[in-house]
Amino acid sequence: MPAEIRKTLLHVEDTLIEGGKKAETPLRMIAAVAVVKNPWAGQGFVEDLRPGIHDVAPDVGKLLTDMIINFAGSGEAVEGYGKAAVVGVNGEVEHASALIHTLQFGNFYREAVGAKTYLAFCNTRAGANAPIMIPLMDKNDGGRRSHYLTIQLAIPDAPGPDEIVIALGASLSGRPHHRIGDRYQDLKELGHDVDNPAAVTS
């Protein structure tokens, strides 16, 4: 069965001043959120989640992607991106994971913004009004720390026990006054390789 969507939410946050200093480029972060019925609710332990994934994930992935792009103005405008899911208390964290950790969901967003990196993520189980945390990273450069951001919001009546909150997040720039450097500077100073940053030998 297709996704049963109870409500959607578009969350927009603009940071104009950070650390008491005006931002040269205000930071705009956008979250597109859908509250959907858990497709495995009431079925007990379900061994094969694939049918539910195929029924629900593409519809929600396209819907949330369209919401982000419509507000951002274009896929190119999006610099940081991420995803999150919160399953209600009658569900499993695996149910939240199933709907966002599939290319049936994420590729709509990747293609729309022209992204190469993996989608940063958070998947949890909680009751209504729980924090929805959407971690972000640069869509093309996983070591660009200026775009390590988190969108946080809550919905007073969601997720219900048999619902899943699914969200995509975007930033149109990095943090104002970014000054902690990038991953590559640390690697250079340590003399380590980007593919083995801790220089693990065993």
Side-chain angles (χ1 to χ4, degrees):
M1 272 180 99
E4 186 178 322
I5 300 170
R6 179 165 69 85
K7 67 194 303 185
T8 61
L9 171 73
L10 188 69
H11 170 92
V12 181
E13 179 180 340
D14 290 325
T15 300
L16 310 178
I17 298 171
E18 183 69 29
K21 182 179 177 182
K22 184 175 180 180
E24 277 183 36
T25 302
L27 169 61
R28 170 161 285 184
M29 297 194 295
I30 307 163
V33 187
V35 180
V36 306
K37 182 175 181 181
N38 185 334
W40 304 285
Q43 298 180 34
F45 185 86
V46 178
E47 190 66 42
D48 183 6
L49 301 181
R50 297 300 296 173
I53 292 170
H54 284 229
D55 284 348
V56 175
D59 289 347
V60 179
K62 183 176 188 317
L63 169 70
L64 298 181
T65 296
D66 288 347
M67 289 171 65
I68 294 273
I69 300 305
N70 288 341
F71 195 86
S74 71
E76 282 118 20
V78 173
E79 295 186 7
Y81 78 152
K83 61 187 176 182
V86 183
V87 66
V89 295
N90 286 355
E92 302 173 42
V93 171
E94 194 74 359
H95 297 161
S97 300
L99 295 184
I100 63 169
H101 297 309
T102 170
L103 300 182
Q104 306 278 346
F105 173 81
N107 271 0
F108 287 99
Y109 198 19
R110 285 188 191 88
E111 290 170 11
V113 302
K116 296 175 184 174
T117 58
Y118 71 87
L119 272 158
F121 65 89
C122 180
N123 34 248
T124 57
R125 177 173 52 223
N129 209 36
I132 301 161
M133 311 287 285
I134 313 172
L136 308 179
M137 64 187 293
D138 186 281
K139 67 182 182 181
N140 287 320
D141 185 348
R144 192 179 180 200
R145 291 184 180 139
S146 57
H147 289 61
Y148 293 174
L149 292 155
T150 305
I151 301 171
Q152 181 174 334
L153 65 145
I155 305 173
D157 67 345
D162 293 331
E163 292 181 327
I164 305 175
V165 172
I166 303 174
L168 288 179
S171 71
L172 306 193
S173 66
R175 295 189 308 278
H177 324 313
H178 165 59
R179 55 197 189 277
I180 64 170
D182 288 323
R183 200 165 190 254
Y184 313 108
Q185 292 170 268
D186 290 358
L187 289 167
K188 186 176 179 182
E189 289 168 6
L190 293 168
H192 292 179
D193 185 83
V194 67
D195 294 321
N196 188 10
V200 175
T201 56
S202 58

